[in-house]
Structures are given as C-alpha cells and as structure tokens.
Amino acid sequence: MSNYDVVIVGACTAGTYFSNLLAKQGLKVLVIDKDEEENLSRRLDIFHFTHQSFQDYGLEEAKSGDEEFVRNFDLCYSKSALDNYLKKSFLKVAVMHLPLFIKRLRKTALANGVTFRFGVSYDHLLYDEQKRIKGIAAKSGEEIFARLVVDASGIPSVVRRSISDPFIEDFEIGPRDKFYVLLKYVELSDAKDKVELSTSWPYYKGWIAPQHSANGAIVGVGANLSYDYARKCMAKFERSIPLPNYKLQYEELGCTPYRRPPFSFVTDGFLVIGDAACLTKPMNGEGITSAWVQCTPAAEVVAHALRDGKYPTKEALWKINTLYQRGEGAEFANLRATLIGAVDMSPKDNDYMFKESIVFKSDDEEVKGSVTGKLIKGVLTGQFSLKALRSLMKSSSCGQKLEKHYKNYPDNPKDYPAWKKKADKLWSKAGTMADNIKDA
Ligand SMILES: Cc1cc2nc3c(=O)[nH]c(=O)nc-3n(C[C@H](O)[C@H](O)[C@H](O)COP(=O)(O)OP(=O)(O)OC[C@H]3O[C@@H](n4cnc5c(N)ncnc54)[C@H](O)[C@@H]3O)c2cc1C
C-alpha cells in the first residue's frame, strides 16, 4: 500500500511531462506504465518538435551530440492535390528519436522527485465510502492510494473508459475516431532527391519528411478505419504525386486520435490528458505539444486544488476545462469541423483552394479578397464545383458556431449539462472525417 498526492497512468510524453510540472509544484507523484522501461514508446521512433516548443515548455534545446537529436529543418511545405501552389510554413523543427526524448523528460522528472514504476498495469479505480475516487488497483492486485488519478494512457484511455460519471465521457477511440498512420522509411535512389524538409499534401493526408539517415526519407499517410485502408490511401497518394524513386527500408505503423476531445477533462479526483483526451492537432494528428497546452496550466490548478490536504473536487479542477476549451479547444473545434468540408472535394477543387489561399496559405502570404467572393468566382469560372462550395460553406459555418460555443464554455459544472447538450448538437451537424470515406 502506498500513498501519493497524484498517480498518473502512462509514462510517455503526456504523463512524464505532467509529472514533472506537478513535482515542481511540490506534489508527491507516482507514474506507472504497463510497459517495461526499455520498451517504452517503442511504437514510434522519429518525431517532429518545433524549436519554439523547447522555449514554450521550458526544455533545453536538443542539439547535435544529444542522443535523441537527429537534425533540424526550418521550412515545411504543403501542396495541392494536383501538386501545385507551394505553401510555406517557416517553422524551425527538430527531428528526434521519441523513446530517447521521453528518457530525457523522465530524467528531469526523476531529478525533481517523481517516482516511476514500470511493468505495472492499471486495472480499476478504488473508491472511498462516499464513492469518491481514492486511488487505483493494479492488475497484480496492488492498491495505490492517491487524491488525484490522472489518465495519460493514450488511445486505450483505460481510466477514463472505466469511469461512470456524468462529467466524463467513456467513449472508445475506435476505428472511425483515429488515424492509422503508415510510415515507410525509405532510401532514396538518387542522392539529388535528398529530403531536407517536410512537404505535405493535405488532400491525401500524405507527406514526405527527413529521417535519421541522410539519404533516406519517411513517406507517410494517415487515414481513418484501418491499416488496410491507410495502405489503399498510400497507393492513391503515390499514384497522384511524383515522389522521388526509393527503396523501402522498413515500415512503422501507429495510430493517433482524430476526433473531438471529451467535453470535460475532470471530475472529482480525476483528470484526463494527452491522447487519452484526444488532444491532437486537426491539421496533422500530432499530439505532443497540443496536449501540453492543456496540462501546463493544469499543474497549477491541480496544486491549488490539492493544497492543505484537500480532496480535488470537480469544482476545484474545473478551471482546467475553461482554460483549455476557451483557447486551443475553441480554435481546434473550428478547424476540425472546417477541415471535414475542406477535404471532401475533388483534386481540382482542392487545387483551387490552394490557388486562392483558402484554408491553405503560406505564413508570409498576405491574403486579399473575401473567401466567399473567391469561392463564387471559382464556381462561375468552372474552377470550383458547386458541391465543394456547399460542403465548405456548411463545414466552415459549423466550425464558426463551434468556436463561439467553446469560447462560452461554462464557468462552473452546474451549467455544463446545457452547454454539453448544445455542443453535442453542433458536432452531430459537423459530422466527422470518417463520414467522407466512400472508397473503403
Ligand atoms: C506514426 C505517428 C507519428 C507521429 N508523429 C508525431 C510528431 O511528429 N509530433 C507530435 O507531436 N506527435 C506525433 N504523433 C502523435 C504523438 O505520438 C502522440 O500524440 C503522443 O505520443 C501521445 O502521448 P501520450 O503520452 O498521451 O500517449 P502514449 O504515447 O500512447 O502513451 C501512453 C502510455 O500509457 C501506457 N498504458 C496504456 N495502458 C496502460 C495500463 N493499463 N496501465 C499502465 N499503463 C498503460 C502505455 O504503455 C503508454 O506507454 C505521431 C503519432 C503517430 C502514430
């Protein structure tokens, strides 16, 4: 039997980063993971992390010589479905090994007093006589007591899914709610084709990016439903876009949540973070720093809720909801809904969107003229279909309504049921990315 202020289930980017923030607030924190330390996050090797994030999240910049560091690049391109209209994003990005990056995060957390235990699997929640969460039981039968339980278990969302509480949605992140990502690590046949920055084709949810070998690249595609369907999308992407010739080295398969996050992240004695809370970016499914946007201010709220030996009620934790949902939550709700319509169209329609910088634009581009005017002009000149116009108008109207609603996220749990009811209605109108699939 052991007692902690906080027990976190899941020791990857969300759980480890959050544990360090809590320890810095003076809390006694335990992080458990079902995997052994040497197998942690083995599902994914290479990942991308913007340099701005090192500063934003108080991390030392990774540099040449650090074991997790591979290389930097400072420009990302995106192109239309017909391979036109290059858009530039001026982001300095670090390419790193994820398991080694997590090891670095863990080292800092350990230095700040966090306890890690590996090979410990969550089984169920423990409740006191007043039916309040008081800790967790591991599969081994061991009981771990803590005033706050945090679910950072990724897609399985093992704790969130085991809670029966009107403030916590216990949905499964199923095939329609995630992207199956197929990554081909390839060796380029011609050294002239060297891939030094990342280029994406949002229409195909496909991209090519650098990897650890200088003559290599990663060709990736993400798609709902299954790995089989992702393979089909990869074939379509490679048929449509002239990628450099390559020899396949190996493949990596992984999933990332692609659905709206739960409406509330907290209830009495509980918080959900990271992939378990579906906090991934609508544009590309990346989830490391978008999850940290939620858990950085959450650490202060948690410390306040636990001060003087208090039990963390949902009222005391509620600010975690309002801070996130009114900020990144509102922005992502709009984008997630808008993108559903923005990709449900023909390659020619998508090409016109790039041409006119509608939704897809360069960071340094000054976009002139109204979007509606450009869309109508597109229809009248035969460059943009009426069907695509309808789809985009519907999705962007849903997106704007959702953003407004999220900005009015309730100040306290009492007003949550009415807010949730309206949010449910708006999302049912918006639909999901999986609704667009016609060729599975
Ligand atoms: C192919 C691919 C490429 C990606 N590239 C990027 C990228 O470049 N940049 C970016 O920001 N994001 C990227 N992402 C997304 C990113 O990897 C995730 O958003 C992020 O790793 C999620 O972290 P997490 O800590 O929430 O969950 P996870 O990384 O899923 O960690 C959850 C942990 O919980 C543990 N766990 C699960 N069940 C239990 C249990 N019962 N008991 C105890 N422990 C349990 C697991 O063992 C695991 O270690 C990518 C995703 C994929 C699939």
Side-chain angles (χ1 to χ4, degrees):
M1 182 177 121
S2 22
N3 278 293
Y4 292 88
D5 292 319
V6 182
V7 60
I8 300 177
V9 178
C12 283
T13 49
T16 306
Y17 174 75
F18 192 50
S19 73
N20 186 45
L21 296 180
L22 295 178
K24 287 206 287 195
Q25 294 282 343
L27 296 170
K28 190 179 170 196
V29 186
L30 170 70
V31 186
I32 64 158
D33 203 290
K34 68 174 173 45
D35 288 347
E36 294 300 338
E37 189 169 359
E38 61 276 16
N39 295 330
L40 205 65
S41 197
R42 283 280 164 229
R43 72 184 172 106
L44 179 63
D45 180 11
I46 296 295
F47 79 109
H48 296 151
F49 192 83
T50 62
H51 270 260
Q52 184 60 40
S53 301
F54 288 114
Q55 265 181 37
D56 291 350
Y57 299 100
L59 306 176
E60 209 178 294
E61 290 216 359
K63 55 188 181 313
S64 182
D66 293 344
E67 60 175 354
E68 71 276 19
F69 182 80
V70 176
R71 71 177 70 184
N72 290 321
F73 62 88
D74 44 23
L75 192 58
C76 302
Y77 290 145
S78 63
K79 293 177 93 179
S80 80
L82 300 180
D83 203 32
N84 295 320
Y85 309 114
L86 193 83
K87 303 290 172 188
K88 293 180 195 157
S89 183
F90 299 98
L91 282 178
K92 186 174 175 194
V93 175
V95 182
M96 292 188 279
H97 294 288
L98 187 60
L100 296 172
F101 177 70
I102 294 172
K103 187 172 150 198
R104 164 148 68 117
L105 295 177
R106 186 163 62 251
K107 209 167 139 194
T108 312
L110 282 165
N112 283 316
V114 175
T115 305
F116 285 85
R117 288 185 53 202
F118 297 98
V120 179
S121 218
Y122 166 86
D123 191 64
H124 61 268
L125 282 165
L126 301 171
Y127 292 90
D128 66 13
E129 318 76 55
Q130 295 158 64
K131 298 202 164 53
R132 296 186 320 184
I133 292 170
K134 65 168 184 180
I136 61 167
K139 286 228 159 69
S140 62
E142 181 190 359
E143 296 192 331
I144 298 166
F145 296 98
R147 283 183 287 155
L148 181 73
V149 175
V150 177
D151 189 352
S153 67
I155 287 177
S157 318
V158 286
V159 192
R160 178 176 62 71
R161 297 212 58 221
S162 68
I163 293 186
S164 175
D165 182 297
F167 287 88
I168 296 298
E169 293 167 83
D170 61 358
F171 58 76
E172 180 189 0
I173 305 172
R176 291 175 64 81
D177 290 334
K178 55 189 177 191
F179 272 168
Y180 293 81
V181 183
L182 169 59
L183 298 179
K184 288 187 184 181
Y185 284 72
V186 302
E187 190 186 325
L188 301 167
S189 310
D190 190 335
K192 281 205 310 297
D193 291 328
K194 194 168 175 168
V195 173
E196 289 185 292
L197 46 82
S198 157
T199 307
S200 68
W201 289 262
Y203 184 78
Y204 304 102
K205 301 177 196 82
W207 65 94
I208 185 163
Q211 48 131 304
H212 43 282
S213 139
N215 286 332
I218 300 175
V219 180
V221 151
N224 290 116
L225 300 186
S226 65
Y227 289 119
D228 281 349
Y229 184 60
R231 258 181 219 293
K232 205 170 162 178
C233 294
M234 174 68 88
K236 183 174 169 190
F237 170 50
E238 297 198 85
R239 268 198 316 275
S240 312
I241 298 298
L243 296 174
N245 288 328
Y246 65 74
K247 197 169 112 211
L248 181 67
Q249 296 171 312
Y250 58 94
E251 285 185 351
E252 236 176 41
L253 302 172
C255 280
T256 185
Y258 197 90
R259 58 155 291 145
R260 69 155 179 84
F263 294 134
S264 167
F265 305 110
V266 304
T267 191
D268 299 329
F270 176 76
L271 165 66
V272 59
I273 63 174
D275 273 12
C278 306
L279 292 173
T280 52
K281 294 181 186 168
M283 268 296 190
N284 55 19
E286 290 184 356
I288 295 171
T289 53
S290 46
W292 293 359
V293 168
Q294 177 227 30
C295 63
T296 303
E300 271 183 40
V301 179
V302 166
H304 196 256
L306 289 171
R307 78 194 184 286
D308 306 327
K310 283 207 180 88
Y311 184 80
T313 60
K314 59 177 155 304
E315 286 76 12
L317 298 170
W318 198 254
K319 208 172 160 195
I320 297 172
N321 283 343
T322 52
L323 285 172
Y324 181 81
Q325 302 287 31
R326 291 177 188 172
E328 183 177 90
E331 185 198 329
F332 281 8
N334 186 347
L335 192 53
R336 200 176 293 288
T338 303
L339 281 172
I340 295 167
V343 298
D344 185 23
M345 52 186 65
S346 70
K348 186 178 157 203
D349 293 325
N350 176 270
D351 200 56
Y352 183 72
M353 301 251 303
F354 269 78
K355 181 181 173 195
E356 295 294 343
S357 303
I358 302 165
V359 181
F360 309 103
K361 66 177 216 34
S362 291
D363 285 350
D364 61 346
E365 200 175 340
E366 211 189 305
V367 183
K368 293 193 181 120
S370 87
V371 172
T372 317
K374 288 177 187 172
L375 291 173
I376 292 169
K377 186 182 98 191
V379 173
L380 294 176
T381 55
Q383 298 176 80
F384 197 65
S385 71
L386 197 55
K387 179 183 165 289
L389 177 68
R390 285 207 192 99
S391 157
L392 192 61
M393 296 299 261
K394 180 188 159 226
S395 70
S396 68
S397 154
C398 284
Q400 280 162 26
K401 284 182 192 151
L402 276 161
E403 180 165 359
K404 192 168 159 213
H405 190 55
Y406 274 70
K407 284 195 168 148
N408 286 319
Y409 193 86
D411 279 321
N412 59 63
K414 163 172 83 45
D415 298 323
Y416 172 77
W419 182 91
K420 177 181 183 296
K421 197 171 166 196
K422 185 167 173 197
D424 261 330
K425 209 168 150 190
L426 290 171
W427 277 112
S428 73
K429 278 197 188 142
T432 74
M433 209 48 118
D435 298 339
N436 290 341
I437 298 170
K438 286 139 198 140
D439 59 345

